Amino acid sequence: MLKRIISYAHELMAATIEPGETVVDGTCGNGKDTLILSKLVGESGSVLAFDIQSQAINNTRTLLVTEGINNVRLIQDDHQHLAKYVEQELHGKIGGAIFNLGYLPGSDKKVITTSTSTIKAIDTLSEYIKSGGLIILVVYHGHPGGEVERDALLEHLKKYEQKQFNVLQYGFINQRNSPPFILAIEKKYV
Ligand code: SAM
């Protein structure tokens, strides 16, 4: 009955993203979320997919080519710089965004997302996201450095203005080995 973390993140995206929208994958990694986003927005929409590592960009490109997807712009850059790309592409609002935090599975565990750039990216997106839209963070915190990012994010998002945003924390508290949890930021209709 209770939704597992990754399935719930995907359900949230599917419930709020519409065909034709522009959406963001802040950490494309091996491309699984990018692929889901690209299918949700369809051929008339577009996905801006960021990653700082060329290996991640290449892995995602390979997956998208295999799947015959051509509505994704792959951007090898730090997601804290996303404003400049969003402004180039956007003709309305961002329909939704996802950030899978941590390191690229099967790769260098020292290259991790950090609170400074993650918070900058989220704060920027919070301006561009549509009313009713979600910024979803899947927070992995079991690796070295993960707990620092987790604590900084929780501290920062607790201060998000309640009149403008709902911020949800969803996770299991009785699992071993620091299981991931979701932080979902919903922009309210004001
Ligand atoms: N969502 C991905 C998937 O479905 O395969 C997994 C993402 S993985 C957990 C985290 C990714 O964040 C890594 O590929 C890493 O290179 C990337 N990353 C780390 N810091 C980043 C930053 N500042 N900007 C963009 N990407 C970053």
Side-chain angles (χ1 to χ4, degrees), residues 27-28 30 32-33 51-53 78-79 100 103 113 117:
T27 57
C28 67
N30 291 320
K32 289 185 194 150
D33 292 329
D51 207 291
I52 42 170
Q53 295 193 77
D78 190 317
H79 47 223
N100 237 284
Y103 59 87
T113 51
S117 60

Side-chain angles (χ1 to χ4, degrees), residues 25 31-40 63-64 67 69:
D25 186 347
K32 289 185 194 150
D33 292 329
T34 306
L35 180 61
I36 291 170
L37 288 172
S38 78
K39 290 180 177 170
L40 288 174
L63 178 66
L64 297 176
E67 295 281 336
I69 300 288

